[in-house]
Amino acid sequence: MPELHPKLSPVFDEVVARNPGEAEFHQAAREVLESLGPVVSKHPEYADAEVIRRLCEPERQVIFRVPWTDDAGRVQLNRGFRVEFNSALGPYKGGLRFHPSVYLGIVKFLGFEQIFKNSLTGLPIGGGKGGSDFDPKGRSAGEVMRFCQSFMTELYRHIGEHTDVPAGDTGVGQREIGYLFGQYKRITNRYESGTFTGKGLSWGGSRVRTEATGYGLVFFAERVLAASGESLEGRSVVVSGSGNVAIHAIEKVQQLGGRVVACSDSDGVVVDETGIDVELLKTVKNGHRGRIVDYAEARGARYVRGGDVWTVPCEIALPCATQNELRTEGAASLVRNGCVLVAEGANMPTSPDAIRLLRDNGVAFAPGKAANAGGVATSALEMQQNASRDSWGFEHTEERLAEIMASIHDRCLATADEYGSPGDYVAGANIAGFTKVADAMLALGVI
Ligand code: NDP
């Protein structure tokens, strides 16, 4: 592990001591602190005002009980979380994740990353995240609705268009946002669309929000390739996962002339050398709530139960499933097979060792904080449309998304240059995201 700057080492020790057992949060904090050495050398005022220490401590953390009744009439119990991490730039903004692996450490890591990502978009949004250890898999629509209603019966008092604006994430799509918004509207007796993003088009949603994270990722990857005179045209691509981010990344890669040869879920991998049929994948996944094995059967493609998607040869890899899904073995396999770029669609999908291995072997690496920021950027565009009671067309919104991704890309490179790490997107994203928030925190005093 690289050494931390002497002023940052005690900050990291404090993060570990104050948040015991929260390995993912420690990992996310460490990665940012590793990038900030040159910043504290150049700007001692940040350390003097304890900006970095304050940034590592959430402004507010809410944990609550979520009881609900299943279809058999049994009472079920889950735990709900909302971590309101930083509001120096605007209302807390970040998704809700429903997955059995969710605990405070996961929510904190996601909320922490969100601060820098949201800052990078250039839009006025702070950072937060939430969710529950509820597992929606195998649950009926009625069970999911009753769970969402119970979750919102507590969460409503903490959110609002000027306070905290949730959206979707793993396990939370438009259906769940609908149930959550419905209950919020009922309890508060207000049609406050701007309290949620990721809504349906007929009830205040934005065009392109569903596609935004995957599309934005591919726009970003294209800029990285263009920086060395290359493009996506004719490239073979592997995408992990087959959820919202993965599906729309696949769609955009193929629109831009690339060929996605494999994708996955937590059960297995489909290898489809002629290119994934994204319309069929959408029908299987979204229409029938099916699995990758169902896609493979319908398509007549090869399915490897329990397979590792990173062993499938490709030139570009887009991890779009979950944290720490790409580790050293997977990275070594990508290097062996001649991969030239890894761009993260998921949050923190690549382990620190795997990132080092990729970069030591000359593979370009685009961190999720920058590369997957298109989702939250379009959420901020949804908030703008809600505030002005307007609704933009698809092309206009997609153009705005592409411009935002280009500007994030260019800011990462310019900042990496300025701080002595040319071409380093990790340093560029962390430093550019940090300095904007840190300047706002300095201006707002010790709060
Ligand atoms: P979804 O729930 O729509 O999809 C997640 C996908 O990842 C599913 O296909 C799931 O498979 C798969 N998956 C989960 N765990 C594993 C695993 N261990 N191995 C292989 N596949 C796995 O979530 P999203 O697409 O919304 O989110 C994916 C990632 O992108 C997350 O890290 C999220 O935080 C991040 N992200 C999402 C944004 C958004 O706008 N939705 C914005 C920015 C980042 P299975 O069904 O088997 O669980």
Side-chain angles (χ1 to χ4, degrees):
M1 249 191 301
E3 290 274 299
L4 289 176
H5 185 284
K7 284 199 170 152
L8 296 173
S9 193
V11 177
F12 182 66
D13 293 344
E14 188 176 51
V15 166
V16 173
R18 268 185 191 276
N19 304 278
E22 298 178 4
E24 296 83 1
F25 178 41
H26 304 166
Q27 182 182 334
R30 171 118 204 158
E31 191 221 84
V32 171
L33 294 176
E34 282 175 4
S35 297
L36 295 186
V39 185
V40 289
S41 300
K42 194 167 168 184
H43 296 283
E45 66 274 21
Y46 293 144
D48 293 345
E50 301 288 11
V51 166
I52 303 174
R53 270 182 77 202
R54 285 192 277 143
L55 193 60
C56 290
E57 180 71 10
E59 290 175 13
R60 188 176 298 107
Q61 307 176 52
V62 188
I63 303 179
F64 50 98
R65 182 171 76 188
V66 190
W68 56 283
T69 306
D70 68 18
D71 286 346
R74 280 186 300 259
V75 174
Q76 300 282 344
L77 191 62
N78 287 97
R79 188 171 274 187
F81 302 89
R82 187 74 183 166
V83 172
E84 299 180 332
F85 226 118
N86 193 290
S87 60
L89 298 182
Y92 310 104
K93 180 86 198 85
L96 296 170
R97 175 178 290 192
F98 292 168
H99 192 272
S101 64
V102 168
Y103 77 108
L104 190 56
I106 292 276
V107 182
K108 267 191 217 162
F109 118 64
L110 290 164
F112 185 73
E113 294 254 301
Q114 199 81 44
I115 303 169
F116 305 94
K117 182 188 312 194
N118 293 3
S119 162
L120 276 174
T121 65
L123 299 163
I125 39 180
K129 200 84 185 189
S132 173
D133 56 2
F134 171 70
D135 186 358
K137 245 182 244 166
R139 291 294 179 188
S140 70
E143 290 176 316
V144 170
M145 182 181 73
R146 289 194 293 282
F147 172 80
C148 288
Q149 291 175 339
S150 179
F151 185 86
M152 189 47 63
T153 301
E154 171 59 32
L155 189 68
Y156 88 93
R157 65 189 92 240
H158 306 289
I159 61 175
E161 62 184 324
H162 302 297
T163 316
D164 183 352
V165 182
D169 189 82
T170 301
V172 179
Q174 204 175 95
R175 176 182 69 169
E176 290 73 22
I177 293 292
Y179 296 150
L180 292 163
F181 178 48
Q183 183 74 349
Y184 178 82
K185 188 175 82 60
R186 186 180 191 197
I187 295 175
T188 61
N189 192 28
R190 281 198 303 270
Y191 203 103
E192 200 182 272
S193 335
T195 302
F196 295 84
T197 60
K199 302 180 295 292
L201 278 184
S202 62
W203 38 284
S206 171
R207 291 190 174 77
V208 193
R209 176 58 189 93
T210 309
E211 297 84 355
T213 308
Y215 279 20
L217 166 68
V218 177
F219 292 148
F220 195 95
E222 223 196 3
R223 300 289 292 198
V224 176
L225 291 168
S228 47
E230 296 169 43
S231 82
L232 270 165
E233 181 74 39
R235 298 285 201 163
S236 59
V237 181
V238 160
V239 175
S240 64
S242 49
N244 174 275
V245 179
I247 286 176
H248 296 103
I250 295 170
E251 185 167 70
K252 187 50 78 180
V253 164
Q254 298 189 339
Q255 284 173 10
L256 295 177
R259 186 167 44 95
V260 179
V261 294
C263 66
S264 62
D265 60 19
S266 53
D267 296 331
V269 174
V270 62
V271 184
D272 198 343
E273 285 299 341
T274 53
I276 300 283
D277 177 342
V278 78
E279 290 309 319
L280 178 61
L281 184 62
K282 281 186 193 172
T283 307
V284 170
K285 293 287 304 192
N286 299 338
H288 304 144
R289 297 196 175 263
R291 311 285 303 156
I292 276 297
V293 65
D294 304 317
Y295 166 86
E297 269 170 26
R299 173 84 167 155
R302 184 156 68 90
Y303 177 71
V304 189
R305 183 167 296 281
D308 178 2
V309 74
W310 309 121
T311 59
V312 179
C314 66
E315 296 165 281
I316 294 163
L318 304 177
C320 294
T322 192
Q323 62 277 352
N324 291 321
E325 53 163 312
L326 172 54
R327 294 174 180 272
T328 42
E329 255 177 54
S333 167
L334 289 174
V335 168
R336 260 196 316 278
N337 288 326
C339 176
V340 296
L341 166 65
V342 172
E344 295 184 325
N347 285 310
M348 211 170 72
T350 319
S351 71
D353 288 350
I355 297 175
R356 271 190 287 280
L357 193 148
L358 292 167
R359 289 163 50 157
D360 289 349
N361 285 280
V363 179
F365 179 77
K369 249 182 227 107
N372 75 26
V376 74
T378 309
S379 276
L381 301 182
E382 183 173 335
M383 291 162 75
Q384 284 181 24
Q385 292 168 76
N386 292 150
S388 57
R389 305 216 182 275
D390 199 358
S391 172
W392 305 344
F394 194 95
E395 273 178 28
H396 171 70
T397 317
E398 194 183 12
E399 263 168 38
R400 290 286 309 269
L401 169 64
E403 283 163 16
I404 292 169
M405 297 315 294
S407 117
I408 295 174
H409 172 271
D410 296 352
R411 195 134 25 91
C412 287
L413 279 191
T415 308
D417 262 353
E418 184 187 339
Y419 284 87
S421 309
D424 181 342
Y425 287 96
V426 175
N430 286 337
I431 297 174
F434 167 77
T435 48
K436 188 171 178 208
V437 180
D439 289 340
M441 287 176 72
L442 276 181
L444 297 177
V446 179
I447 54 169

